[in-house]
Amino acid sequence: MRFFAIILTFISTAALSQGGSLYSPFGVNGQCSIDIDDLDDLTVLLKDDFGNTYFCGSTSENLIGTYPFDVCIGKLTPSGELDLSFGNNGIFRSDFPNHTISSLKGACLNENGIYFIGNAVNENQLDSSDFFVGKINLDGQIDVNFANNGFFTSQLLGAYNTPGNVLIDSEERLVFCGSTTEETTTYVEYPFIGRLTANGTLDTTFGTTGIVIWDYYEGNLVNGISVLNSQDRHGEGAYANEIIEINNNYFIAGKFVGTAFEQLHIWSMTKEGELNPNFVSQGPYIYQLDPGYNHLPTNMVYDGQSIYLSIVTDGSFYNGKQLIQKIDTSGTLLDLHSFEHMNYDSQSLFLKNWNGELYVGGYSKESTNTTPGHHSDQFLLYALDTSFNIMSDFGQDGYFESELSWGDEELGAEDFIIHDGFGVIGGYHNNLIGNNITDFVFMGVNMDENLENYNLDNSTFQIFPNPASSLITIEHSAPIQSIEILSLDGRRIQFYEPNTSSFSIQFENLSPGGYYIVLKSQENTYSERLIKY
């Protein structure tokens, strides 16, 4: 384990209260940056019920072409600060066991901990890739009771394994997907689905071994981890990289690699490890949007009726556009929606649903920007209804877009999560100082235009404890004129006029969750997110 430093940077911008604007209580007026090592790369954001945000990815020294990445997971408080009680000063950082180069590809969270999926290689075995699932507790420490001292691994068919994503299903089991290669004869990529029990052992009620592989070329499922009798199709095959649970089945999306280009594929399996008989195709359904070009699904959500898949492609028709495919639960393709961001190229790298609306976004790059290596100039987030109508009252005519306030560095959004009243976009930005190349960067986004933000000095107010279960105390250097407790959509829940410098509030009757407390004295107004557990 290498020593590392953590640097926090906060940025001041004008505070706005409209839905789709920077959420000023996060960081300083909506933006913050975290530097762990020379190369910081975000993969996924997670959230808990108390407004905390967990960022998961990889970090590494810059060794000029050699990248000995470590897996890293950090925790941000609702105010956008590192929770220093988590991990090592706010960060969990580790290689996968017995490997020197590790990367994280997916993660999920519940009240028992954080589960993450990734792969690892050794510097003297760069043509091989091993697959891992790990678990840390919510304090940021390895759960040694999970699998083998915190890590499950399998060679699957051989040494070439690509992880996809991981979820916790409705029965609290860990389900993961990816691809594996039988490297002794064919080098074909085979997609797989696996399931672990809560303690990290293979769940043999899924199929007969806990891992089920789809053999494209024989047209059947294979239980167990054994050599497949496929034709010699070196470099071809399929990857599973997105998985969700729908109506007691697993729905999977990925890409199929042919001889010249990558197509999309979707399929569904029962919880017993069989093909879903109600799915439109007995096996993966393969299709393409721009024939002859490459396609990749980046996120998948379900709104209770339909599935939505965000897609990126380098095809001539859809390249540089936001692209969403609507699918029913039987696998039938419904609407395909694409739209352009005026004078910009953009990519749909994440897709979320919240309160009956879809939020899609990712990279945003000016069309005139031809600087080599420049992937993105801004963070971009669109709000749409489920009929793909842009919600014009969100942000700037339906979208949020923001640069960093301290310069014009290259930056790109990788993921987005939504708390009760605000969202957090996470990604990277170039910060070329010495050996440093990229840092993590985060932006808070207002999700409700009725929520008023206060951007005033809080140095004379104290609120404790927070989070709390039933009682908080507020202290101020001068008499407190009023105290409001608001719901996250701005409704007043409680109101007091204490006219004292110290005041306690009982709120055991409030439901657990997030609230806002707004304090006023003769000179100051201050608001803070209040967590009731």
Side-chain angles (χ1 to χ4, degrees), residues 274-486:
E274 301 293 337
L275 292 173
N276 182 0
N278 299 316
F279 194 70
V280 69
S281 174
Q282 287 297 298
Y285 173 49
I286 302 171
Y287 70 103
Q288 54 187 318
L289 304 175
D290 274 356
Y293 291 93
N294 298 306
H295 303 79
L296 177 70
T298 58
N299 242 171
M300 182 165 53
V301 299
Y302 177 59
D303 69 352
Q305 294 183 323
S306 301
I307 303 162
Y308 301 86
L309 190 66
S310 58
I311 301 166
V312 295
T313 176
D314 59 3
S316 58
F317 190 73
Y318 293 115
N319 186 27
K321 299 180 180 180
Q322 299 290 319
L323 185 59
I324 307 174
Q325 174 77 67
K326 187 175 183 178
I327 308 168
D328 71 16
T329 55
S330 71
T332 302
L333 303 182
L334 301 175
D335 300 331
L336 176 68
H337 184 67
S338 69
F339 57 97
E340 296 182 85
H341 189 51
M342 185 174 295
N343 300 320
Y344 286 81
D345 294 329
S346 59
Q347 290 187 344
S348 306
L349 297 183
F350 54 77
L351 177 66
K352 310 294 177 182
N353 64 304
W354 183 70
N355 283 357
E357 299 172 358
L358 298 172
Y359 293 86
V360 60
Y363 291 1
S364 172
K365 175 182 176 181
E366 294 184 33
S367 302
T368 56
N369 186 351
T370 59
T371 304
H374 241 269
H375 302 295
S376 179
D377 296 317
Q378 291 92 5
F379 279 13
L380 178 67
L381 173 67
Y382 269 92
L384 304 89
D385 64 24
T386 53
S387 297
F388 299 132
N389 299 305
I390 294 176
M391 309 294 290
S392 59
D393 58 346
F394 182 82
Q396 308 171 52
D397 297 324
Y399 65 91
F400 164 88
E401 187 175 50
S402 181
E403 299 176 332
L404 297 180
S405 299
W406 68 87
D408 189 26
E409 295 95 342
E410 177 182 357
L411 77 159
E414 301 283 359
D415 201 13
F416 177 57
I417 49 99
I418 305 172
H419 294 289
D420 289 338
F422 72 102
V424 177
I425 303 178
Y428 75 92
H429 76 102
N430 277 10
N431 186 22
L432 304 178
I433 301 175
N435 288 329
N436 195 76
I437 296 181
T438 57
D439 296 338
F440 295 107
V441 68
F442 308 93
M443 297 187 187
V445 182
N446 276 308
M447 300 305 294
D448 194 317
E449 63 183 358
N450 297 316
L451 183 63
E452 183 178 8
N453 293 320
Y454 296 89
N455 183 32
L456 298 174
D457 177 36
N458 68 329
S459 59
T460 57
F461 283 103
Q462 294 185 43
I463 304 173
F464 56 91
N466 189 14
S469 61
S470 61
L471 177 73
I472 60 170
T473 299
I474 302 103
E475 294 182 352
H476 187 44
S477 57
I480 304 168
Q481 292 184 330
S482 67
I483 300 172
E484 286 183 284
I485 296 180
L486 308 176

Side-chain angles (χ1 to χ4, degrees), residues 15-146:
L16 300 173
S17 60
Q18 176 188 4
S21 61
L22 282 170
Y23 173 69
S24 64
F26 182 84
V28 172
N29 296 329
Q31 299 181 345
C32 69
S33 175
I34 296 178
D35 176 18
I36 300 177
D37 212 328
D38 298 330
L39 293 152
D40 298 321
D41 182 26
L42 182 78
T43 302
V44 63
L45 295 177
L46 305 173
K47 65 172 185 173
D48 63 19
D49 294 333
F50 302 105
N52 298 302
T53 299
Y54 300 82
F55 58 95
C56 310
S58 305
T59 189
S60 175
E61 295 176 87
N62 176 16
L63 298 180
I64 311 176
T66 301
Y67 303 105
F69 277 92
D70 295 336
V71 169
C72 68
I73 300 174
K75 180 182 179 182
L76 298 176
T77 67
S79 61
E81 298 177 342
L82 272 178
D83 182 346
L84 300 182
S85 67
F86 179 86
N88 181 7
N89 291 324
I91 303 293
F92 163 78
R93 178 175 181 171
S94 176
D95 274 312
F96 289 116
N98 303 315
H99 288 74
T100 57
I101 302 175
S102 305
S103 60
L104 184 149
K105 301 299 183 183
C108 58
L109 174 151
N110 66 7
E111 67 275 8
N112 296 318
I114 299 172
Y115 304 84
F116 53 97
I117 185 172
N119 64 342
V121 299
N122 285 312
E123 293 179 68
N124 59 348
Q125 297 175 343
L126 294 180
D127 290 331
S128 65
S129 179
D130 290 330
F131 156 82
F132 288 88
V133 175
K135 180 189 177 186
I136 60 174
N137 296 314
L138 293 180
D139 62 0
Q141 306 297 327
I142 283 286
D143 182 354
V144 296
N145 296 314
F146 177 80

